């Protein structure tokens, strides 16, 4: 504060005064001053408040706000998962079109890494964050002191503070169960990741669909990696062989688990679908090339990324609006890995017409 202000007792006008005058958040004023993404109406309201209060921004602080306004944070759980690779591309494309940069961080579903990267986003003064958190971090995220808006992707949160874009996971899992049931499978095992709300929702859809068909659900949860899935399914099938309760199909909750299951069947010398039908999530190029092709749920990955960016920009334009949850549908892509079960029994007798042609 200058000596003249001290002597007269006049209080310097700050950015909070402008925000109060305009009836918006400090973050919104900051974006307007740094020429960030806001609506024309909101920009006009803030500029009127600047004139009314006589606010004069500090130039060095304004440069910091300018850096703040040009960066989007993106924290994903596993960049090796092709789903997150595709979503990241869609987010980056939308950010580039808006003249913004993206900081991409990978957590490997580790809450400690998530906490570290959330601190990084604060230090980098990101304009907003798109985040796929673990259940552990999600349970505490509502209490976090974040000065930027957050949009959740692939992970659901209770209604409240955060916008989100998710797949209709229960419905998608039920699609796979219904398809397997329609192909004649009755002993349908389920393998799910153990860190995310996504797997919990897919497990719920799997259980509900099996119950609707009068079938028993037998599921296991593992770390969401190909290695964990390969080891678990190998143990599971070995136990099932000894007990005489082999599943005839297995449904898995993400593409990395799907990869692990396929590797395990090869190691065990099993054929797909002859010994075990396999179905999972994410229509990646390799799923069409493995064996007879793998039945999968295709997620609208690019739409998920674009929708997340749209929600983020809407939140920046109107920080006080009600939170929104965008729920998108998946599509079942049926391939040879879930070919129908062949019923064993005596061969049918040829018809007289057929005997005549023989």
């Amino acid at each position: 504060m200058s000596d003249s202000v001290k002597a007269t007792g006049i209080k310097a006008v700050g950015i909070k005064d402008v925000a109060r005058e305009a009836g918006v958040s400090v973050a919104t004023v900051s974006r307007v001053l740094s020429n960030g993404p806001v609506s024309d109406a909101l920009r006009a309201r803030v500029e009127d408040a600047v004139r009314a209060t006589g606010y004069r921004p500090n130039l060095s602080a304004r440069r910091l706000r300018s850096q703040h306004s040009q960066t989007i944070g993106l924290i994903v759980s596993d960049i090796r998962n092709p789903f997150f690779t595709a979503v990241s591309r869609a987010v980056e494309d939308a950010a580039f079109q808006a003249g913004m940069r993206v900081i991409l961080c990978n957590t490997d579903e580790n809450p400690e890494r998530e906490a570290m990267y959330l601190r990084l986003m604060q230090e980098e003064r990101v304009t907003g964050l798109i985040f796929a958190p673990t259940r552990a971090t999600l349970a505490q995220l509502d209490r976090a002191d974040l000065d930027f808006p957050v949009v959740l992707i692939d992970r659901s949160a209770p209604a409240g503070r955060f916008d989100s874009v998710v797949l209709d996971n229960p419905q998608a899992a039920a699609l796979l169960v219904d398809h397997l049931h329609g192909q004649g499978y009755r002993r349908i095992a389920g393998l799910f990741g153990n860190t995310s709300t996504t797997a919990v929702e897919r497990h719920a859809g799997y259980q509900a669909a099996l119950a609707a068909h009068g079938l028993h659900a037998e599921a296991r949860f593992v770390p969401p990696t190909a290695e964990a899935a390969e080891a678990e399914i190998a143990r599971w099938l070995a136990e099932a062989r000894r007990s005489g309760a082999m599943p005839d199909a297995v449904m898995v909750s993400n593409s990395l688990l799907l990869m692990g299951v396929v590797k395990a069947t090869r190691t065990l010398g099993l054929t797909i679908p002859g010994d075990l039908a396999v179905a999972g999530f994410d229509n990646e190029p390799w799923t069409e090339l493995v064996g007879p092709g793998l039945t999968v749920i295709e997620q609208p990955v690019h739409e998920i990324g674009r929708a997340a960016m749209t929600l983020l920009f809407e939140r920046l334009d109107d920080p006080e609006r009600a939170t929104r949850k965008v729920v998108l549908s998946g599509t079942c892509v049926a391939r040879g890995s879930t070919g129908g079960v062949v019923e064993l029994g005596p061969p049918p007798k040829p018809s007289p017409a057929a005997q005549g042609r023989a």
Side-chain angles (χ1 to χ4, degrees), residues 5-79:
V5 171
K6 289 180 182 178
T8 60
I10 298 173
K11 183 181 177 182
V13 176
I15 193 170
K16 291 183 179 179
D17 300 302
V18 177
R20 191 178 302 111
E21 175 74 18
V24 300
S25 69
V26 169
T28 299
V29 176
S30 178
R31 283 191 298 278
V32 171
L33 295 175
S34 58
N35 200 31
V38 297
S39 67
D40 291 341
L42 206 55
R43 184 179 300 280
R45 195 196 316 174
V46 171
E47 289 174 347
D48 287 344
V50 168
R51 286 190 289 270
T53 58
Y55 174 67
R56 294 291 181 267
N58 177 277
L59 291 180
S60 61
R62 188 167 183 173
R63 281 193 291 272
L64 284 174
R65 285 191 294 271
S66 178
Q67 293 171 3
H68 178 119
S69 70
Q70 298 301 318
T71 306
I72 299 296
L74 175 60
I75 303 178
V76 300
S77 61
D78 192 345
I79 198 61

Side-chain angles (χ1 to χ4, degrees), residues 23-218:
V24 300
S25 69
V26 169
T28 299
V29 176
S30 178
R31 283 191 298 278
V32 171
L33 295 175
S34 58
N35 200 31
V38 297
S39 67
D40 291 341
L42 206 55
R43 184 179 300 280
R45 195 196 316 174
V46 171
E47 289 174 347
D48 287 344
V50 168
R51 286 190 289 270
T53 58
Y55 174 67
R56 294 291 181 267
N58 177 277
L59 291 180
S60 61
R62 188 167 183 173
R63 281 193 291 272
L64 284 174
R65 285 191 294 271
S66 178
Q67 293 171 3
H68 178 119
S69 70
Q70 298 301 318
T71 306
I72 299 296
L74 175 60
I75 303 178
V76 300
S77 61
D78 192 345
I79 198 61
R80 295 172 302 175
N81 186 329
F83 166 81
F84 286 114
T85 305
V87 169
S88 298
R89 174 60 188 269
V91 168
E92 195 278 333
D93 285 346
F96 177 79
Q97 292 172 4
M100 308 182 82
R101 303 169 297 176
V102 174
I103 298 176
L104 172 62
C105 298
N106 171 73
T107 67
D108 287 337
E109 302 275 9
N110 184 327
E112 291 183 1
R113 292 181 67 169
E114 288 176 328
M116 176 183 71
Y117 287 133
L118 284 173
R119 289 194 296 270
L120 173 66
M121 297 302 162
Q122 296 273 43
E123 294 165 1
E124 293 293 327
R125 301 175 59 83
V126 295
T127 301
L129 174 65
I130 295 174
F131 189 19
T134 59
R135 280 184 288 167
T137 295
L138 187 56
Q140 305 175 46
L141 195 59
D142 196 55
R143 298 190 296 272
D145 185 20
L146 304 176
D147 60 1
F148 46 77
V150 177
V151 175
L152 303 179
I153 54 170
D154 191 51
R155 311 290 164 93
S156 292
R161 182 174 172 186
F162 302 108
D163 299 307
S164 61
V165 184
V166 296
L167 186 73
D168 189 339
N169 288 302
Q171 181 249 11
L175 281 177
L176 285 182
V177 171
D178 291 344
H179 168 74
L180 288 165
H181 182 269
Q183 292 293 86
Y185 299 101
R186 298 297 180 265
R187 297 186 303 278
I188 304 170
L191 191 64
F192 301 88
N194 64 3
T195 61
S196 71
T197 59
T198 302
V200 172
E201 292 174 354
R202 291 175 184 175
H203 176 251
Y206 156 85
Q207 278 191 311
L210 284 175
H213 292 299
L215 300 176
H216 172 67
E218 185 174 355

